[in-house]
Amino acid sequence: MMRLPVLSHFTPKTLDEAIALASELPSARFVAGGTDLLPKLKRRQLGASALISLTRCEELQTIKRLDDGGWRIGAGVKLVELVRLPELRSSHPAIWQAASQVASPPIRSSGTVGGNLCVDPRCFWFDQTAPWREAAGQCMKIDPAVVCRVAPNSPRCWAVSSTDLAPAMGAARAKVRIVGPAGERTVPLPELYRDDGIDYMTLSHGEVIVDVEIPGSVGWRSAFWKIRRRQSIDFALLSASVEVFMLTDEVLEARVGLGAVGSCPLFPPEVAAVLVGTKLEDDVIEAAAAAAKKLARPMETSDMPSSWRRRVLPVAVKWALREVRGDDVTDARRRYGPQVLLP
Ligand SMILES: Cc1cc2nc3c(=O)[nH]c(=O)nc-3n(C[C@H](O)[C@H](O)[C@H](O)COP(=O)(O)OP(=O)(O)OC[C@H]3O[C@@H](n4cnc5c(N)ncnc54)[C@H](O)[C@@H]3O)c2cc1C
C-alpha cells in the first residue's frame, strides 16, 4: 500500500487565513478534493511539508447565474455539482460535457473545478511509482538533471496538460479570479498556463483560484469531444472543444480549444479563423481539422503513439464541429471509443 509522507494538515475557514498560512509555509501545497495531489504525494512524484485544505473556504463554494446568462463558478465547486446542473448543460454544453467526462463518478464527487484547472501535466515516465521510476533511471520532471525520456535532445519537459475543463472553459472565454498575498487579479483562462511540463502554471506560491467567470452564451453553440482509452476513468489522449457564434447560419466568431496535445491547453486562432464567415460546410470542417492537426505536436507521453494522436485529433475536431452544426452525433458519441476511432 502506498502511504502519504508525514506532513501537517491545516483546514483554514477563510480564504485570507489560507493565504496567510501559505505565506508562512513555503513548501506547503493547497489541496481541494485531493484526487490529483494525494496520489502524486503517495507515489513521491511531488513533495510537501504541509497541506492547506481549501474545502472550508466558503468564498470558493458558490455557483451563481449572471445577468447575461453566464456563470460564476467557485473553484471549490465539485465536478458532480456542475454535472447536475441542467441549466449549464443547455447554456454551455461544452463545459458540461467536459465536466461530465472527467475521470469517473466517485472522482467527480470529490474533484473540484479549481483542482481540475491545476491538474499536474502527465507523462508515461512521470506517472509511475517511485521504484518504477528509479529502475527506469528517473525522469526530468522529478530530477531536472536527468534528460527528458520523451525527447532526450530537448532542454525542456514535455509532460502533457491533462485538464478537461481548461480547453472547454478557455474556448468559452472564461476569466479566472485569483487571490494571493499580493492581492487580487483576474486573467483570461489561457493566461493561467505556461507551455512547460514542469512549471506549468502562472500562479505564484500562495495564490488561490477563487472562481471562474463564464460569459453568457446567447448565439453561441459549443461541443467538447474527448478521446480516451476507456469510456470512464481515463485521462484524455486528446480533446477538442469548439465554440461558434451564429445568429443565422453563418459563423460570426469562433474559438477552438485543444487539450492533451501539448504542455498547456491550446487555443489556436488559426483554426478558429477557418470557421469565421462560413456556414460550416463539410470542406470548411475538413480545413479546420487539418489546421488543428498541423498545429498540434503531441509527444510520446502516453501509451498511445504520438502519430496516432496526431491522426485522431482532426477526427475529434470534425465531430465537435458537426455537433455544433446541428448534425445528429448521438450514434458517434456512443460508438466511437478510441479503439475504433480511425481517421
Ligand atoms: C484515476 C484518475 C482519473 C482521472 N481522470 C481525469 C480526467 O479524465 N480528466 C481530468 O481533467 N482529470 C482527471 N483526473 C484528475 C483529477 O481527479 C481531477 O482533475 C480533479 O478535478 C482534480 O480536482 P481536485 O479538487 O481533486 O484537485 P486536488 O488534487 O485537490 O489539487 C490538484 C492541484 O490543484 C491545486 N489546487 C486545487 N484547488 C486550487 C485552487 N482553488 N487554487 C489554486 N490551486 C488549487 C492543488 O494545490 C494541486 O496542485 C483523474 C484522477 C484520477 C486519480
Side-chain angles (χ1 to χ4, degrees):
M1 180 201 278
M2 291 185 294
R3 293 180 188 279
L4 282 173
V6 174
L7 37 76
S8 314
H9 189 259
F10 299 90
T11 48
K13 293 193 184 65
T14 65
L15 182 58
D16 286 348
E17 215 186 305
I19 293 166
L21 264 170
S23 302
E24 286 167 25
L25 302 165
S27 58
R29 291 181 187 271
F30 292 120
V31 62
T35 59
D36 191 53
L37 182 59
L38 299 188
K40 289 207 158 73
L41 290 171
K42 288 181 178 178
R43 291 192 294 253
R44 305 301 190 262
Q45 290 166 265
L46 301 172
S49 65
L51 294 182
I52 303 170
S53 170
L54 298 171
T55 47
R56 291 210 192 147
C57 301
E58 272 179 25
E59 298 91 328
L60 273 63
Q61 313 301 334
T62 52
I63 304 182
K64 190 169 178 246
R65 194 80 204 254
L66 304 175
D67 292 343
D68 69 350
W71 297 85
R72 183 172 301 121
I73 301 175
V77 167
K78 296 196 167 53
L79 297 170
V80 68
E81 295 175 63
L82 295 193
V83 178
R84 286 188 187 141
L85 276 177
E87 302 91 338
L88 180 71
R89 185 178 190 174
S90 52
S91 71
H92 294 80
I95 293 175
W96 185 88
Q97 288 163 344
S100 62
Q101 290 181 72
V102 172
S104 59
I107 291 175
R108 292 195 292 272
S109 302
S110 304
T112 62
V113 170
N116 188 274
L117 294 177
C118 299
V119 158
D120 199 11
R122 293 174 61 77
C123 177
F124 177 77
W125 295 91
F126 175 63
D127 289 286
Q128 305 287 351
T129 58
W132 190 103
R133 288 192 314 267
E134 201 180 315
Q138 282 304 356
C139 107
M140 182 189 244
K141 197 163 150 82
I142 302 268
D143 178 358
V146 173
V147 293
C148 173
R149 303 280 164 181
V150 167
N153 292 326
S154 163
R156 55 162 287 190
C157 160
W158 290 94
V160 72
S161 170
S162 299
T163 150
D164 285 328
L165 281 183
M169 285 185 162
R173 299 158 293 134
K175 290 193 172 152
V176 181
R177 188 159 67 96
I178 299 159
V179 176
E184 180 176 321
R185 61 193 177 100
T186 299
V187 298
L189 186 138
E191 290 179 21
L192 260 188
Y193 302 101
R194 280 199 195 97
D195 186 10
D196 187 315
I198 299 172
D199 191 13
Y200 62 101
M201 297 212 73
T202 55
L203 292 178
S204 311
H205 180 75
E207 283 195 317
V208 175
I209 298 178
V210 179
D211 51 41
V212 183
E213 188 171 314
I214 301 151
S217 59
V218 177
W220 288 86
R221 302 180 194 178
S222 70
F224 173 88
W225 278 66
K226 168 175 175 173
I227 305 300
R228 52 182 161 178
R229 265 196 180 272
R230 295 166 289 184
Q231 295 301 1
S232 183
I233 283 216
D234 284 339
F235 281 90
L237 290 163
L238 58 96
S239 68
S241 196
V242 301
E243 297 262 344
V244 293
F245 181 61
M246 304 174 81
L247 289 177
T248 54
D249 57 354
E250 185 183 321
V251 177
L252 300 175
E253 215 181 316
R255 307 255 320 199
V256 174
L258 305 176
V261 286
S263 293
C264 60
L266 306 179
F267 302 98
E270 302 90 323
V271 182
V274 173
L275 306 169
V276 176
T278 74
K279 293 182 176 164
L280 293 181
E281 298 89 345
D282 284 344
D283 58 336
V284 171
I285 289 180
E286 289 289 339
K293 180 179 180 183
K294 205 167 156 195
L295 276 162
R297 294 264 176 278
M299 305 290 278
E300 301 280 348
T301 49
S302 76
D303 57 346
M304 291 303 278
S306 52
S307 56
W308 184 93
R309 286 159 72 204
R310 276 201 82 212
R311 280 166 60 220
V312 175
L313 177 70
V315 181
V317 172
K318 276 191 251 181
W319 278 109
L321 286 168
R322 288 179 191 133
E323 186 170 337
V324 294
R325 182 170 66 182
D327 294 10
D328 182 359
V329 297
T330 323
D331 190 40
R333 278 231 181 250
R334 195 178 307 121
R335 194 161 39 87
Y336 274 36
Q339 299 85 347
V340 294
L341 188 64
L342 297 173

